[in-house]
Amino acid sequence: MLDLLSVRVTRFCRSLAVCAMGVLLVLGVVGTSLSEELGVVRERPATGRFVEIEGGFMVPYWVTLPPSQVRFEMIPVPAGTFLLGSPADEGGRKSDEGPQIRVTVAPFWIAKTEVRWAEYQEFMKLYRIFRNFETAKIRKVDEDVKVDAITAPTELYEPRATFEYGDDPDLPAVSMTQYAAKQYSKWVSGITGQQYRLPSEAEWEYACRAGTNTAWSTGNDPATLREYARFQSEDRDHGPLKVGSLKPNAWGLYDMHGNIAEWVLDEYKQEGYVRLQGQQGITGMTAIAWPEVQWPRVVRGGSWETPAVDCRSAARLGSNDEEWQKSDPGYPRSPWWYTDAPSLGVGFRLMRSLEVLPRDQISKFWEIDSKAFQDDVDMLLKEGRGVQGLANPTLPQAIEEQRKNEK
């Protein structure tokens, strides 16, 4: 039977330039047939988690960050419809969690755990790597290739603050800005040939609920949360746990409640989802509150320093850049790092949609969306306090060659 997903990819490829070897390497996406598509198989798996789709099955898979051997796992999430937000009678509900809106979500993969220091420190290494490229006058970022450029996070002004709870490779990475998280997702996309990004608020809540409609994915009693979430409690130690230390939700995702809170794409609006009332056919994508201001942005899930009620599936927090960066001595303040609490309890996880998006659409998930913020980044780059580099499939090889030359 004709493979519909393969047809989708093939049509996409035909509309673009294909390299001589027949592998599409345009828009940061590798075009393949269904049997070769990362995370998709034709035959129903005999064991393990899978999501059935037309023509095949989505399955878990691992992503390696070359040239290192650091890797993370992606878990498939089925399509479905749910109520975004919390009902008026849910205990602890706040005004920004309603009104409830029916949202339909397309299938996707999401990281099994929050991004760890093991992964994020590979991204942090790019600052020195890109500097060395500049010195060597190679891999220049000009207008022809700027579409593949990212800014690497600057070296930490005060590492002891960011690493207050340690930098164990399996601890969740924290205190990066939403912009840095988005640039990280663009970097992973560029070097792997797949489209990774932050989830939308609706996609994140859908994955967190894992088919439930209770306050937590574990039920309505906070006592059920203790085996699944690290949250503020008088009888618990201070600080986050290594990712995956507790039990996962029904879809195999760890730490969706507590441990650290997680960035999503949306602008935070105090009035909740009023803007979506009366709309029909709302999806995880069309529900996005695309940011129109520099901050606040939405943080989800609660952390080790928030009570259980603020770790509910529908609980939201708006970022506060002024408060989270008050100790930053620079001007403009860092676009990549926060310096103050509660940013020590904020990180993120990646997702990847089954549907491959055109470049102009996926770019919206990666790039700066505030002119004021863009001006700050441009100023820091001009002053040499930031650095750009190309995040494409040839970057890992370039890094390896640079390391050989340094020996």
Side-chain angles (χ1 to χ4, degrees), residues 306-319:
T306 56
V309 68
D310 291 330
C311 298
R312 289 171 299 111
S313 298
R316 313 167 72 224
L317 173 69
S319 65

Side-chain angles (χ1 to χ4, degrees), residues 358-376:
R359 181 70 195 221
D360 62 337
Q361 292 183 32
I362 190 62
S363 292
K364 195 171 183 180
F365 292 89
W366 296 332
E367 307 301 349
I368 293 175
D369 45 38
S370 160
K371 184 181 184 305
F373 201 81
Q374 182 70 66
D375 290 344
D376 288 349

Side-chain angles (χ1 to χ4, degrees), residues 45-246:
T47 60
R49 178 166 180 79
F50 62 85
V51 170
E52 186 171 3
I53 56 174
E54 192 165 17
F57 301 86
M58 295 169 64
V59 295
Y61 67 91
W62 289 87
V63 181
T64 299
L65 300 176
S68 75
Q69 296 303 307
V70 174
R71 64 179 193 160
F72 59 92
E73 189 174 8
M74 300 293 290
I75 304 296
V77 171
T81 299
F82 81 114
L83 289 176
L84 172 68
S86 60
D89 60 352
E90 183 170 287
R93 180 188 190 271
K94 297 180 175 64
S95 60
D96 64 350
E97 297 172 19
Q100 283 192 299
I101 301 294
R102 186 170 297 279
V103 178
T104 298
V105 179
F108 61 91
W109 291 270
I110 192 166
K112 187 175 185 177
T113 71
E114 297 145 339
V115 172
R116 305 170 299 150
W117 280 123
E119 294 128 49
Y120 202 75
Q121 287 188 339
E122 291 300 311
F123 181 53
M124 293 169 64
K125 291 175 184 177
L126 293 178
Y127 182 78
R128 283 295 162 193
I129 290 168
F130 287 169
R131 282 284 185 221
N132 291 339
F133 286 162
E134 284 187 347
T135 300
K137 293 181 169 50
I138 61 175
R139 295 180 63 85
K140 294 181 180 180
V141 179
D142 55 34
E143 289 303 318
D144 292 337
V145 295
K146 200 168 185 178
V147 68
D148 292 324
I150 62 167
T151 63
T154 53
E155 295 176 327
L156 291 166
Y157 170 73
E158 181 46 85
R160 288 176 299 178
T162 299
F163 297 130
E164 180 178 347
Y165 299 100
D167 61 349
D168 185 288
D170 288 325
L171 280 172
V174 295
S175 78
M176 72 290 295
T177 63
Q178 189 211 50
Y179 168 67
K182 290 165 69 174
Q183 290 287 279
Y184 176 95
S185 71
K186 185 179 180 181
W187 165 65
V188 176
S189 300
I191 63 175
T192 64
Q194 300 291 332
Q195 292 182 344
Y196 295 96
R197 60 176 175 86
L198 294 182
S200 70
E201 186 170 12
E203 291 165 335
W204 188 95
E205 184 175 323
Y206 179 71
C208 178
R209 289 188 177 279
T212 67
N213 58 7
T214 48
W216 299 271
S217 63
T218 58
N220 285 318
D221 183 352
T224 63
L225 195 63
R226 297 186 66 82
E227 295 182 34
Y228 296 81
R230 179 73 156 183
F231 57 93
Q232 185 187 72
S233 179
E234 292 181 359
D235 62 345
R236 292 195 166 192
D237 294 333
H238 205 52
L241 294 175
K242 293 180 181 181
V243 300
S245 295
L246 301 174

Side-chain angles (χ1 to χ4, degrees), residues 319-388:
S319 65
N320 185 332
D321 286 33
E322 289 182 352
E323 185 67 20
W324 294 8
Q325 289 185 311
K326 62 184 179 182
S327 297
D328 189 330
Y331 181 81
R333 290 172 170 170
S334 174
W336 301 279
W337 294 107
Y338 290 121
T339 55
D340 299 270
S343 68
L344 291 181
V346 176
F348 66 103
R349 76 178 72 210
L350 294 182
M351 68 154 287
R352 172 187 162 217
S353 298
L354 176 63
E355 178 187 7
V356 178
L357 298 178
R359 181 70 195 221
D360 62 337
Q361 292 183 32
I362 190 62
S363 292
K364 195 171 183 180
F365 292 89
W366 296 332
E367 307 301 349
I368 293 175
D369 45 38
S370 160
K371 184 181 184 305
F373 201 81
Q374 182 70 66
D375 290 344
D376 288 349
V377 171
D378 290 345
M379 180 184 297
L380 291 173
L381 291 174
K382 186 175 181 179
E383 294 176 354
R385 290 192 285 153
V387 62
Q388 277 187 319

Side-chain angles (χ1 to χ4, degrees), residues 10-65:
T10 301
R11 287 175 178 170
F12 179 71
C13 293
R14 285 173 180 169
S15 67
L16 301 169
V18 180
C19 70
M21 296 301 293
V23 178
L24 177 65
L25 207 55
V26 182
L27 308 186
V29 179
V30 176
T32 64
S33 68
L34 176 63
S35 61
E36 300 168 331
E37 178 123 354
L38 186 64
V40 177
V41 297
R42 287 182 179 275
E43 301 297 327
R44 184 186 184 93
T47 60
R49 178 166 180 79
F50 62 85
V51 170
E52 186 171 3
I53 56 174
E54 192 165 17
F57 301 86
M58 295 169 64
V59 295
Y61 67 91
W62 289 87
V63 181
T64 299
L65 300 176

Side-chain angles (χ1 to χ4, degrees), residues 254-266:
Y254 289 85
D255 303 314
M256 296 298 288
H257 302 291
N259 208 36
I260 61 168
E262 302 177 18
W263 285 116
V264 293
L265 291 165
D266 303 58

